Amino acid sequence: MALPRTPGSSPVPAPGDLLAHPRPSLAIDVAVLTVVPEGPDGAPALAVLLLRRDAAPKAGAWGLPGSFVRERERLAGAVLRTLADKCGISGLAPRQLHVFDDPGRDDRGWVVSVAHVDVVPVERLEPALAARDDLALAPIAPRGTNGAGATSPVDVPGRQTSLPFDHDEIVALAVDDLRERYRAAPDPGGLVREPFTFLALRRTHDAVIGEPQQKDTFRRQMLPLLVEDGEIARGGVGRPARLYRRAADGPRVG
Amino acid sequence: MALPRTPGSSPVPAPGDLLAHPRPSLAIDVAVLTVVPEGPDGAPALAVLLLRRDAAPKAGAWGLPGSFVRERERLAGAVLRTLADKCGISGLAPRQLHVFDDPGRDDRGWVVSVAHVDVVPVERLEPALAARDDLALAPIAPRGTNGAGATSPVDVPGRQTSLPFDHDEIVALAVDDLRERYRAAPDPGGLVREPFTFLALRRTHDAVIGEPQQKDTFRRQMLPLLVEDGEIARGGVGRPARLYRRAADGPRVG
DNA sequence: GAAATAGTGTCTTTAAGACAATATCAG
DNA sequence: CTGATATTGTCTTAAAGACACTATTTC
């Protein structure tokens, strides 16, 4: 077998020898989205998890968690490992969004990154957020309404006006993906603990989609995708609401 | 700088040295879809371009065109190069579908492949198809209607019942993606030469989507996305139809 | 009973599906 | 004029939006 060559030596592969190909570094980035109970306007709102970079390029800047994929590791596994190792968070079910392949996107070399989105209830982020100062939840800017000439879909903390690399684009893709899924099904990201009332479900959808959903239309759309459970009584002030769970054919269980 | 290591030597990266990471081979696969004038039932129908493999694994079997990404090459560029080099075809605008990252998907080693879809008018495939016998257009099986116990969405030529690797899955994703886009906009793949009549447009949509579109509903949906052109007279037998082009805000121009 | 929230009824508006009438050409 | 296709009108049906009414609890 031929010896492994340095990447970029010979563009012509020796047949049968995979290692002869120049190979890129493979990375993942992940936009962890959640709903915070108090957004900028007091109502629940979408937010994204940011991490202060300590590594080489753009050290000190806020960006999305990401890392290189290890040998024979699955992409989803790399995302979950990154969240666990770098953020102390147990993620759930990463979804692929897009591959960013611009050869000039990283000064360090040829890095191809697969962008992901994951959705996590805010309770699972709070311990890590409270314990560390290099983690932050940044609110999603409500569509083009962004301070000054910032082009980021995120209200980045501090003086920073945008996210490094393609992270602004990744957040935009992640938000679009999540909104599309929340228009079609009840809480596909598992943000609401089961069983839940229709009010809790609708408040979450309002926050994700960014605008209030019609009470009755929303009920009629989502009802066929839910199964009833029991009753809630204590706690609320008005008439007790029925409790529901996502129908079995629905997506992942939180 | 540290010497490049063989992939798989050290899973712990030396900080600052990108080359120290084990790196996968990066590949692309592409499902080239088109509409052939005479499908299995005589009507125009969707088909996918297959290539007979000559390389190492599954040599002789029909599969999708694909190849390894070269150094600093864009993914879309690798797709277009593959179509040009291996199929003698000039592709148009590849779209990413999904990253296949199962470490066991290729016996030769750690290969991560980005699946793509591209849409090409059949006229641009015909010269290559006529000149070579390792290229074929396979009809898309109309939803689950597949000979015997075949699980492939493709009617693969010969005795083959499915495509190698994840190619069956790629074709299914490609067809779903194309159908979704054709439900929303007039001929986003540029299959019909401009200017076109409503009949030509609808026949193409019928073929892509796999079932006939309502004549009047289709017209009402697509009309706002088109701009008028002139008139057609010669050729047809009935009343001449107006000619249209895709509206400027539409997608790529063929 | 008053306040608050849950759940349902129904009217209006909009869009799709279906069918058919009218328009305009070649022969 | 006949046959063929294009284009438009309209009726029916289904769904969404909007509004309001009734129901059931806590205080």
Side-chain angles (χ1 to χ4, degrees):
Chain A
M1 180 193 264
L3 286 172
R5 310 174 190 177
T6 66
S9 56
S10 159
V12 181
D17 182 7
L18 240 70
L19 306 181
H21 289 268
R23 298 180 305 283
S25 294
L26 184 64
I28 57 89
D29 289 298
V30 54
V32 176
L33 297 179
T34 192
V35 168
V36 294
E38 297 252 329
D41 62 345
L46 258 192
V48 63
L49 181 73
L50 298 184
L51 174 67
R52 191 156 41 205
R53 298 180 59 83
D54 59 348
K58 329 250 182 185
W62 292 97
L64 297 181
S67 71
F68 291 102
V69 178
R70 297 194 179 155
E71 188 171 23
R72 303 264 169 162
E73 189 180 32
R74 299 296 296 247
L75 293 172
V79 170
L80 296 178
R81 170 179 57 78
T82 302
L83 293 180
D85 289 0
K86 294 200 180 175
C87 307
I89 288 165
S90 61
L92 290 175
R95 290 166 48 86
Q96 288 182 18
L97 290 173
H98 191 77
V99 183
F100 289 89
D101 65 332
D102 184 346
R105 62 182 287 282
D106 192 321
D107 298 332
R108 293 169 292 177
W110 184 23
V111 180
V112 171
S113 179
V114 184
H116 289 75
V117 59
D118 202 354
V119 189
V120 174
V122 71
E123 304 87 59
R124 301 181 61 168
L125 302 179
E126 274 158 355
L129 285 165
R132 303 169 49 171
D133 70 339
D134 62 340
L135 283 181
L137 276 181
I140 301 295
R143 279 174 232 258
T145 320
N146 221 343
T151 52
S152 175
V154 179
D155 286 328
V156 191
R159 248 178 302 280
Q160 207 176 320
T161 61
S162 68
L163 301 178
F165 302 105
D166 353 63
H167 291 187
D168 279 331
E169 204 174 335
I170 295 175
V171 173
L173 286 175
V175 170
D176 286 349
D177 178 86
L178 195 67
R179 287 188 171 148
E180 199 168 319
R181 293 197 297 138
Y182 268 72
R183 283 184 209 279
D187 191 28
L191 288 170
V192 190
R193 186 168 25 222
E194 291 183 311
F196 46 75
T197 78
F198 250 106
L199 184 60
L201 181 67
R202 184 158 53 88
R203 290 244 188 288
T204 298
H205 277 245
D206 288 353
V208 169
I209 295 175
E211 52 195 24
Q213 303 299 104
Q214 202 91 10
K215 180 171 77 161
D216 35 17
T217 302
F218 179 75
R219 177 185 219 91
R220 278 189 273 254
Q221 285 177 337
M222 295 303 169
L223 197 51
L225 304 173
L226 297 171
V227 292
E228 233 176 296
D229 191 83
E231 285 260 340
I232 193 180
R234 323 308 133 203
V237 51
R239 167 176 172 177
R242 295 181 208 169
L243 291 175
Y244 296 87
R245 297 172 183 278
R246 293 180 279 275
D249 60 88
R252 72 201 55 80
V253 262
Chain B
M1 182 193 266
L3 286 171
R5 309 175 191 175
T6 65
S9 56
S10 160
V12 181
D17 181 8
L18 240 71
L19 305 182
H21 288 268
R23 300 179 305 282
S25 294
L26 184 64
I28 57 89
D29 289 298
V30 54
V32 176
L33 297 179
T34 192
V35 168
V36 294
E38 297 252 330
D41 61 346
L46 259 191
V48 61
L49 182 74
L50 298 184
L51 174 67
R52 190 155 43 203
R53 298 180 58 84
D54 59 347
K58 330 250 181 186
W62 292 96
L64 297 181
S67 71
F68 291 103
V69 178
R70 297 195 178 155
E71 189 170 23
R72 304 264 169 162
E73 189 180 32
R74 300 296 297 247
L75 292 172
V79 170
L80 296 178
R81 169 179 58 77
T82 301
L83 293 180
D85 289 1
K86 294 198 179 175
C87 307
I89 287 165
S90 61
L92 290 174
R95 290 165 48 87
Q96 288 181 18
L97 290 172
H98 190 78
V99 183
F100 288 89
D101 65 334
D102 184 346
R105 62 181 289 282
D106 192 321
D107 298 334
R108 292 169 292 176
W110 185 22
V111 179
V112 171
S113 178
V114 184
H116 289 74
V117 59
D118 201 354
V119 189
V120 174
V122 71
E123 304 87 59
R124 300 181 61 167
L125 302 179
E126 273 159 355
L129 285 165
R132 302 170 49 172
D133 71 339
D134 61 341
L135 282 181
L137 276 181
I140 301 295
R143 279 174 232 261
T145 320
N146 222 342
T151 52
S152 174
V154 180
D155 286 328
V156 191
R159 249 179 301 280
Q160 207 175 319
T161 60
S162 68
L163 299 177
F165 303 104
D166 352 63
H167 292 187
D168 279 332
E169 205 174 335
I170 295 175
V171 173
L173 286 175
V175 170
D176 286 349
D177 177 87
L178 195 67
R179 287 187 171 149
E180 199 168 318
R181 294 196 297 138
Y182 268 72
R183 283 184 209 279
D187 191 27
L191 287 170
V192 191
R193 190 176 13 229
E194 292 184 310
F196 46 76
T197 79
F198 249 106
L199 183 59
L201 182 65
R202 184 159 52 89
R203 290 244 189 287
T204 298
H205 278 245
D206 288 352
V208 169
I209 295 175
E211 51 195 25
Q213 304 298 105
Q214 202 91 9
K215 182 169 74 161
D216 34 18
T217 302
F218 179 76
R219 178 185 219 92
R220 277 189 276 254
Q221 285 177 338
M222 295 303 169
L223 197 51
L225 304 172
L226 297 172
V227 292
E228 234 176 294
D229 192 83
E231 283 261 339
I232 194 181
R234 323 306 134 202
V237 51
R239 169 176 170 178
R242 296 182 208 167
L243 291 176
Y244 295 87
R245 296 172 185 278
R246 292 180 279 276
D249 60 86
R252 72 203 53 82
V253 262

